[in-house]
């Protein structure tokens, strides 16, 4: 019997027809497969981490080198909990302070640093009651004085200066004839000969306290001196800074926890930021993300982030500088007024004050820089270099005004152009890891210069009898 063409066509479909009519997977099936795929990737990443033997290292990995995370600030509220919406990856804990803005939490430690009970960078706590033979010198400043990026407390400025001061005391005891005698002769030739010798410094055990805090500016230093440092009865105070004042907008009196005021004034914005931050942190803690970041991308923070540590906006360093001469003058005047009050406080307490502008990479001539430092300068650009040069010039003028107004109470030094002598080796290392943070070799050089500054202060010296005779 004859079959219709229609039936024949249904029975014998062409290959083209079969391909044309094949149905695509359901969108719902695709959506359901996505989490299964992600779970499979996560399990695979966890297996890779377990096989690599880096489980503990990757558990601490926060998407950046471990040294950066170790020195990044993690801000805590008064109840010692991290602020929602602020990054929670730093290991250096700082708590909110009404007077100081924030201060380091006491009794914390990791492989790179130790913070004592008082919040100072030291292994041992500092008692409020000063031992009779102890001479205390406090170093205030920002992350440069704190020693950001150094491998240990011992690699920072404070312990190196402490060693130099106590070695000087030991040398004075061992070779007293190499220094000025305790009493000067009435006979002028012998007197002149004795005065040509270096003076003895006050005997005792010197303790140099690293009270610097990353991010601090002159406003923070003023509050810190008045409320935290003076009760410890310091014999001298060193302030190493300047850079962060050039970076802080003039409408801010001191550095505070970033974005805190903005969040308090905008509850809905705080909620959105907190939700977004929670999602980012959840994703960043996944094994698959860590494998991708650690082994494949291996990202490095920007120069601005490494230098300033905490920024409200992701801006390059030149955009943190004053945008015009008027803004720069306001920032420098804030610096001058804050340190003027510090000089007055120290003068009233009879404490010598050393103000030193900190080193910065553009202060060195190109022939003294290593290749990575030259590359850093190229990245920073001409605008940054010109802005920093003008900023340091204005801070120097502010120092000159302070010295003129208080000639007997403040000692001024400018280490902007400080360089470190080459070792003569072909493997010389850069002294700057970013524009302001120093290597251990640079800290050694800086401690020597601060040693010269402190030992040159008359109040830190022993005055021989008959010294005032004409």
């Amino acid at each position: 019997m004859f079959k219709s063409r229609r039936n024949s066509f249904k029975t014998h479909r062409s290959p083209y027809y079969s391909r044309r009519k094949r149905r695509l997977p359901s969108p719902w099936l695709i959506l359901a497969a996505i989490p299964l795929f992600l779970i499979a990737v996560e399990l695979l990443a966890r297996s890779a981490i377990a096989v690599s033997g880096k489980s503990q290292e990757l558990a601490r990995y926060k998407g950046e080198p471990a040294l950066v995370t170790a020195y990044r600030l993690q801000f805590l509220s008064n109840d010692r909990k991290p602020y929602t919406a602020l990054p929670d990856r730093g290991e250096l804990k700082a708590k909110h302070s009404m007077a100081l803005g924030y201060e380091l939490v006491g009794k914390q430690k990791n492989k790179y640093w130790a913070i004592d009970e008082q919040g100072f960078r030291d292994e041992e706590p500092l008692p409020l009651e000063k031992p009779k033979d102890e001479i205390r010198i406090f170093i205030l400043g920002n992350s440069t004085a704190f020693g950001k990026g150094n491998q240990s407390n011992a690699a920072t400025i404070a312990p190196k200066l402490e060693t130099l001061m106590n070695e000087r005391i030991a040398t004075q005891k061992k070779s007293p004839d190499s220094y000025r005698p305790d009493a000067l002769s009435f006979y002028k030739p012998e007197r002149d000969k004795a005065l040509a010798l270096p003076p003895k410094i006050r005997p005792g055990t010197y303790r140099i306290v690293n009270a610097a805090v990353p991010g601090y500016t002159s406003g923070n230093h003023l509050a810190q001196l008045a409320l935290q440092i003076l009760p410890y009865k310091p014999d001298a105070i060193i302030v190493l800074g300047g850079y962060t004042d050039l970076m802080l907008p003039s409408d801010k009196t001191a550095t505070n926890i970033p974005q805190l005021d903005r969040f308090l004034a905008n509850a809905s914005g705080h909620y959105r930021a907190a939700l977004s931050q929670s999602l980012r942190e959840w994703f960043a803690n996944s094994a698959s993300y860590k494998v991708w970041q650690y082994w494949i991308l291996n990202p490095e923070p920007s120069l601005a982030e490494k230098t300033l540590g905490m920024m409200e906006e992701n801006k390059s360093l030149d955009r943190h500088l004053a945008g015009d001469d008027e803004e720069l003058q306001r920032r420098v005047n804030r610096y001058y007024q804050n340190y003027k009050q510090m000089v007055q406080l120290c003068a009233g307490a009879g404490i010598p004050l050393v103000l030193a502008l900190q080193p910065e990479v553009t202060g060195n001539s190109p022939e003294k820089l290593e290749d990575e430092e030259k590359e850093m300068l190229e990245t920073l650009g001409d605008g940054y270099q010109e802005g920093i040069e003008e900023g340091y010039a204005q801070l120097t003028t502010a120092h000159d005004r302070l010295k003129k107004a208080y000639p007997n109470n403040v000692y001024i030094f400018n280490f902007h152009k400080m360089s470190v002598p080459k070792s003569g080796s072909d493997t010389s290392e850069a002294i700057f890891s970013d524009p302001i943070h120093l290597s251990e070799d640079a800290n050694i050089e800086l401690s020597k210069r601060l040693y010269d500054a402190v030992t040159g202060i008359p109040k830190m010296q022993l005055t021989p009898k008959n010294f005032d005779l004409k």
Side-chain angles (χ1 to χ4, degrees):
M1 185 175 178
F2 178 75
K3 295 181 180 178
S4 68
R5 293 182 61 189
R6 181 179 179 183
N7 291 337
S8 175
F9 182 72
K10 287 181 178 180
T11 305
H12 305 286
R13 292 188 178 96
S14 68
Y16 171 76
Y17 179 85
S18 298
R19 288 195 301 270
R20 187 167 60 88
K21 288 295 184 179
R22 185 177 299 162
R23 297 181 64 185
L24 295 174
S26 166
W28 296 107
L29 184 61
I30 295 174
L31 288 175
I34 290 175
L36 294 175
F37 173 76
L38 294 176
I39 291 172
V41 171
E42 179 71 8
L43 293 174
L44 184 62
R46 293 187 181 189
S47 299
I49 291 173
V51 171
S52 70
K54 293 181 176 289
S55 299
Q56 292 185 351
E57 184 175 344
L58 281 167
R60 297 190 300 269
Y61 182 67
K62 303 295 184 180
E64 60 190 5
L67 189 62
V68 175
T69 302
Y71 279 93
R72 187 184 293 279
L73 290 170
Q74 178 188 121
F75 293 105
L76 307 181
S77 61
N78 291 331
D79 58 1
R80 301 297 181 91
K81 293 182 179 179
Y83 282 98
T84 55
L86 291 182
D88 189 24
R89 57 187 175 181
E91 293 183 7
L92 184 57
K93 294 178 173 58
K95 61 183 179 180
H96 177 256
S97 169
M98 291 293 293
L100 304 177
Y102 61 91
E103 58 186 328
L104 296 181
V105 172
K107 295 184 69 173
Q108 54 174 320
K109 187 176 183 178
N110 70 9
K111 65 180 290 187
Y112 301 107
W113 45 255
I115 309 299
D116 67 14
E117 294 177 7
Q118 290 71 37
F120 305 134
R121 186 169 184 176
D122 205 336
E123 303 285 344
E124 300 295 332
L126 182 71
L128 190 61
E129 188 68 26
K130 183 168 65 172
K132 186 176 181 179
D133 67 338
E134 185 172 273
I135 299 174
R136 290 177 174 176
I137 300 175
F138 281 75
I139 297 180
L140 280 61
N142 54 37
S143 52
T144 302
F146 180 78
K148 180 180 177 180
N150 293 147
Q151 295 293 320
S152 66
N153 281 12
T156 62
I157 299 167
K160 296 186 182 302
L161 177 58
E162 182 174 291
T163 298
L164 291 173
M165 298 300 295
N166 286 312
E167 285 178 348
R168 171 68 171 264
I169 294 299
T171 303
Q172 288 180 184
K173 291 180 179 178
K174 183 178 180 180
S175 305
D177 293 341
S178 300
Y179 297 88
R180 290 178 189 171
D182 296 334
L184 295 177
S185 171
F186 290 96
Y187 183 53
K188 190 175 185 307
E190 292 182 3
R191 182 185 180 85
D192 292 341
K193 183 179 179 181
L195 287 174
L197 296 172
K200 291 177 181 176
I201 62 172
R202 290 168 52 190
T205 301
Y206 281 78
R207 182 163 185 178
I208 314 298
V209 182
N210 188 345
V213 178
Y216 267 19
T217 56
S218 59
N220 303 97
H221 299 151
L222 173 59
Q224 186 186 24
L225 172 68
L227 301 175
Q228 187 182 46
I229 305 302
L230 288 181
Y232 286 94
K233 297 180 173 57
D235 295 279
I237 292 172
I238 299 169
V239 185
L240 180 69
Y243 186 89
T244 42
D245 272 87
L246 294 177
M247 295 293 177
L248 185 71
S250 62
D251 60 349
K252 298 182 179 181
T253 58
T255 306
N256 208 329
I257 297 175
Q259 305 188 61
L260 188 59
D261 293 338
R262 184 188 305 175
F263 288 154
L264 291 175
N266 184 359
S268 60
H270 185 196
Y271 174 76
R272 290 192 299 271
L275 182 61
S276 175
Q277 179 67 21
S278 297
L279 290 173
R280 287 196 298 269
E281 288 181 358
W282 175 83
F283 183 65
N285 287 326
S286 66
S288 53
Y289 176 82
K290 290 188 174 186
V291 167
W292 173 258
Q293 291 284 98
Y294 186 84
W295 275 305
I296 300 175
L297 293 183
N298 194 21
E300 284 279 344
S302 67
L303 270 181
E305 193 172 5
K306 287 196 293 185
T307 304
L308 298 180
M310 52 180 192
M311 297 183 296
E312 296 189 19
E313 300 177 47
N314 187 20
K315 299 188 295 188
S316 58
L317 281 174
D318 62 313
R319 293 184 61 197
H320 283 275
L321 291 166
D324 52 53
D325 291 340
E326 289 77 13
E327 171 63 11
L328 175 59
Q329 288 302 320
R330 288 191 292 268
R331 296 184 187 188
V332 172
N333 186 61
R334 175 190 58 201
Y335 178 90
Y336 172 81
Q337 294 298 333
N338 286 332
Y339 285 129
K340 177 181 177 181
Q341 293 182 65
M342 290 184 69
V343 173
Q344 292 171 341
L345 281 173
C346 288
I351 303 170
L353 177 64
V354 174
L355 290 183
L357 288 177
Q358 66 189 86
E360 190 272 337
V361 67
T362 65
N364 280 263
S365 55
E367 62 270 13
K368 294 182 179 180
L369 298 176
E370 299 300 322
D371 290 342
E372 53 265 49
E373 292 168 322
K374 294 177 182 177
E375 184 179 343
M376 187 193 307
L377 287 181
E378 293 180 4
T379 302
L380 291 168
D382 294 338
Y384 169 86
Q385 296 182 52
E386 292 170 3
I388 281 293
E389 183 177 358
E390 179 60 24
Y392 266 82
Q394 293 296 327
L395 292 178
T396 301
T397 300
H399 277 193
D400 292 340
R401 290 172 60 198
L402 285 170
K403 185 63 178 176
K404 184 176 180 180
Y406 304 95
N408 300 319
N409 302 109
V410 64
Y411 302 87
I412 301 297
F413 297 90
N414 188 344
F415 299 137
H416 180 215
K417 301 182 183 297
M418 187 193 82
S419 60
V420 176
K422 296 278 187 180
S423 63
S425 169
D426 293 335
T427 59
S428 296
E429 295 183 356
I431 67 171
F432 289 96
S433 59
D434 57 53
I436 60 171
H437 295 121
L438 305 173
S439 67
E440 184 172 359
D441 285 343
N443 286 337
I444 292 173
E445 178 65 23
L446 188 52
S447 68
K448 292 177 181 177
R449 300 194 182 202
L450 291 174
Y451 166 81
D452 291 337
V454 172
T455 56
I457 297 173
K459 194 162 186 177
M460 302 302 294
Q461 301 171 355
L462 281 179
T463 302
K465 294 179 181 179
N466 306 323
F467 181 79
D468 295 327
L469 288 177
K470 301 297 184 181

